[in-house]
Amino acid sequence: MPRTPRTSPDTATAFDRQVSNLIELGYPAASGLHAERFAALLAPLREAAVAATADTTDAAETTDAAGEPGDEAVTGRVPFVLVVTRGVVPIGETMPRTTLHRGRLPGFVDRSFEPGALERFVATDEVALPGHDAYLVLDVERGEEFCNAIPHEALGTIADRGRTPLTIEEGIALITHFPQVLVKNKCFSLGGSRSGDRRVPALWISQKAPKLGWCWQGNPHTWLGVASAGGRRAAAPAA
């Protein structure tokens, strides 16, 4: 089937939906900013989103003309996700703002993270973060093809494809904007964040809510893939 490029109006509307979603979820208050200031922090990324997805090939399949979520639960793919880093809103504040699709229970961080452990899970040297408070992660895949694969080996395959594993913040952003991506038997690891040991953070479903936990890098799970992206993009520097 021929691939259809995304039109700028659709991308802009989809971006605005994600900004509105964060505001409705209370991100401004969690960041200590007024809603207007928070929106202004993200506004420069609108143009970056349009530019980055101008040649995106799956736009017609993933987002409709109104910018609403499409069939991400089926495809596990999203053209772009707006990410707010832990420097703006801590992970402990972002996970409770996630829910399952059509769910009501808030997401949570698993108690297996010992005190101070979550702060040590940072982006790996191989993950090139833009170094901004907010940025876009592009061409995101849930990665269910890696279900029942050894996470360490799956990460090697992702690197060989020129892709990059998602970080914790990026995974949380994905299910914040597209909760339908997190479904039974298609959950995913976030290998872009590591703490210097053999643990790989992951998002899955527990107690009818999203849970941020971790699994060992050498242990496969039939229900756990590895999420990845085609790249990241920050806003262009101000002229």
Side-chain angles (χ1 to χ4, degrees):
M1 179 178 179
R3 295 190 163 196
T4 306
R6 177 188 296 278
T7 62
S8 296
D10 287 351
T11 300
T13 302
F15 177 85
D16 292 342
R17 182 187 72 82
Q18 294 190 28
V19 173
S20 296
N21 185 42
L22 295 178
I23 292 173
E24 290 172 4
L25 289 171
Y27 269 62
S31 67
L33 300 172
H34 292 295
E36 294 80 4
R37 179 68 187 91
F38 182 80
L41 173 70
L42 306 179
L45 287 165
R46 194 175 195 261
E47 183 177 345
V50 172
T53 58
D55 296 322
T56 297
T57 56
D58 296 300
E61 300 171 3
T62 55
T63 304
D64 65 22
E68 293 300 321
D71 58 352
E72 293 86 0
V74 176
T75 67
R77 300 186 66 187
V78 175
F80 73 91
V81 175
L82 175 57
V83 181
V84 174
T85 70
R86 68 180 74 181
V88 178
V89 182
I91 293 170
E93 292 279 351
T94 56
M95 271 306 296
R97 288 172 165 78
T98 66
T99 60
L100 298 179
H101 182 50
R102 295 179 179 172
R104 292 183 294 177
L105 298 178
F108 62 99
V109 177
D110 189 72
R111 289 178 293 181
S112 62
F113 286 100
E114 68 275 13
L118 194 55
E119 290 74 19
R120 294 194 297 272
F121 277 86
V122 296
T124 65
D125 292 338
E126 294 78 16
V127 173
L129 295 181
H132 291 65
D133 289 336
Y135 61 91
L136 304 173
V137 62
L138 309 171
D139 186 20
V140 178
E141 294 182 358
R142 178 173 55 198
E144 60 262 40
E145 68 174 286
F146 297 112
C147 287
N148 208 34
I150 296 173
H152 183 68
E153 295 179 355
L155 289 170
T157 300
I158 288 170
D160 289 343
R161 294 175 179 174
R163 294 179 61 80
T164 176
L166 295 193
T167 66
I168 288 176
E169 288 102 314
E170 292 164 357
I172 293 174
L174 175 61
I175 65 170
T176 297
H177 297 301
F178 300 93
Q180 61 271 43
V181 167
L182 187 64
V183 295
K184 184 179 179 180
N185 296 325
K186 293 182 180 180
C187 303
F188 45 88
S189 294
L190 304 169
S193 293
R194 302 297 294 272
S195 65
D197 56 24
R198 297 178 59 250
R199 294 180 291 181
V200 182
L203 288 166
W204 66 85
I205 299 170
S206 177
Q207 303 174 46
K208 299 182 179 180
K211 180 171 80 169
L212 174 63
W214 57 265
C215 295
W216 299 114
Q217 67 178 9
N219 290 0
H221 296 276
T222 58
W223 45 271
L224 195 63
V226 182
S228 68
R232 300 172 177 86
R233 182 170 296 193

